[in-house]
Amino acid sequence: MWDEARLRFGGDWNPEQWPERVWAEDVALMRRARVNLVTVGVFAWSRLEPAPGRYDFGWLDRVLDLLADNGVGAALATPTASPPPWFSLAHPGALPVTADGVRLHHGSRDTYCAAAPAYRAAARRIAGVLADRYAHHPAVALWHVHNEYGTVCHCEHAAVAFRAWLAGRHGSLDALNDAWTTSFWSQHYSDWAQISTPRATQYLANPGQLLDFRRFWSDTLLAAYAEQRDLLRAANPAVPVTTNYVLGDWVPVDHARWAAEVDLVAVDHYPSAVDGGAEEQTALAADLARGWARHGARVRAAADGGAWLLME
């Protein structure tokens, strides 16, 4: 059960990345440091599902049992920020495409398009399996969905979804043309099929299109999060569900709106400055998180009405 009054202290723990003989020492050091919450499994999809529909949970069972035996809670992550190699090979159309039209390949993180149906189905499947197995495990104090939502894509899946989103938002091509001022530079659209994502172009892109594209991705990523959240919440409503907000001008996420969809606001701080500006950036992000938590998330702190978590 999540205790709203308790201070959480810890960080990411990735035991699948080193020998199992080290795990006991890791947890002993956690206890000495009074760590009481660690994120587990963020980038472990290939270890959890080494082949389609074939799962290996033995190592994660031992990890969570070890944490529970030592009084350390787990923020158990769904690993959907990094699909395994087999997924990319089976679904090359779900790999991301840049604004220049270049399809990226496997070998890093975030190798997916969140508008691709195959990716969304695979993400729901692994989240559901984790929920079925661990929703009532004594170590699981929090669900951590995905990691740092913000990846965008310009593939055909994204283009189709973008057109549908635009039709829902504007209602008609006349309204869209008016909103985007498309008479400028001969951009007037006469058919929805003429509209694509804002790909790299000769000169300046239409600012209305760019803004709507960011709004579209915020809604698309939120829908992807909500699909997993609903599975996890249904398995055990007592365990809060969140995702970690990543901040920056490249992130097309409306975090204020998202706050109503998470049980607990969680943010990451990676200041770009190396002087006093880093302190200012961190203070601003903390103040934003506090405001989002007060007006959105379900978990409340008795003192100020808005509990939030610094996840990274």
Side-chain angles (χ1 to χ4, degrees):
M1 183 68 67
W2 185 267
D3 180 359
E4 298 175 17
R6 187 182 184 197
L7 180 67
R8 296 313 197 281
F9 173 62
D12 282 9
W13 186 41
N14 302 288
E16 72 278 10
Q17 297 181 17
W18 46 81
E20 187 167 347
R21 65 177 181 273
V22 181
W23 297 357
E25 181 183 0
D26 288 346
V27 175
L29 291 171
M30 290 179 198
R31 293 190 63 178
R32 285 180 57 189
R34 298 188 181 182
V35 165
N36 57 25
L37 184 68
V38 292
T39 295
V40 176
V42 175
F43 296 117
W45 196 345
S46 63
R47 293 293 305 275
L48 292 168
E49 190 178 7
R54 180 166 66 84
Y55 302 102
D56 178 8
F57 292 119
W59 67 270
L60 186 54
D61 290 345
R62 296 191 295 277
V63 163
L64 294 177
D65 289 347
L66 181 62
L67 291 174
D69 291 344
N70 285 273
V72 180
L76 184 56
T78 62
T80 52
S82 282
W86 61 257
F87 176 84
S88 299
L89 187 63
H91 303 284
L95 287 164
V97 173
T98 69
D100 292 310
V102 176
R103 187 174 296 280
L104 303 178
H105 296 278
H106 199 91
S108 182
R109 58 188 278 181
D110 298 306
T111 51
Y112 63 88
C113 172
Y119 168 76
R120 294 278 282 273
R124 289 193 301 270
R125 186 170 61 248
I126 186 65
V129 172
L130 287 168
D132 289 343
R133 190 175 187 91
Y134 297 115
H136 294 276
H137 192 285
V140 177
L142 179 71
W143 287 109
H144 173 179
V145 174
H146 199 78
N147 184 71
E148 296 184 336
Y149 277 105
T151 300
V152 303
C153 178
H154 293 263
C155 73
E156 189 56 28
H157 293 300
V160 169
F162 185 41
R163 286 191 285 271
W165 183 92
L166 290 171
R169 177 175 177 82
H170 295 284
S172 69
L173 276 174
D174 286 343
L176 180 142
N177 283 310
D178 183 60
W180 288 7
T181 317
T182 56
S183 292
F184 187 75
W185 284 352
S186 187
Q187 296 179 41
H188 188 90
Y189 294 103
S190 58
D191 192 291
W192 289 104
Q194 297 168 4
I195 304 172
S196 187
T197 67
R199 292 280 191 96
T201 188
Q202 174 66 16
Y203 191 37
L204 301 176
N206 185 303
Q209 183 184 17
L210 290 173
L211 179 58
D212 268 352
F213 191 61
R214 289 178 67 91
R215 290 167 170 159
F216 156 74
W217 271 114
S218 183
D219 287 353
T220 299
L221 295 171
L222 180 58
Y225 160 78
E227 289 174 354
Q228 296 190 48
R229 176 205 61 198
D230 291 349
L231 290 168
L232 301 170
R233 187 179 285 168
N236 185 355
V239 179
V241 186
T242 192
T243 186
N244 50 331
Y245 295 175
V246 60
L247 309 177
D249 57 7
W250 60 273
V251 182
V253 171
D254 184 350
H255 292 117
R257 272 195 60 207
W258 279 48
E261 304 295 334
V262 299
D263 294 330
L264 176 70
V265 167
V267 300
D268 293 353
H269 285 342
Y270 289 102
S272 59
V274 294
D275 52 15
E279 298 172 1
E280 295 169 358
Q281 290 177 13
T282 301
L284 174 61
D287 206 29
L288 287 170
R290 189 178 300 111
W292 293 329
R294 284 174 176 165
H295 296 98
R298 297 197 311 172
V299 171
R300 305 293 183 189
D304 64 1
W308 63 279
L309 190 67
L310 176 60
M311 190 74 85
E312 297 181 30

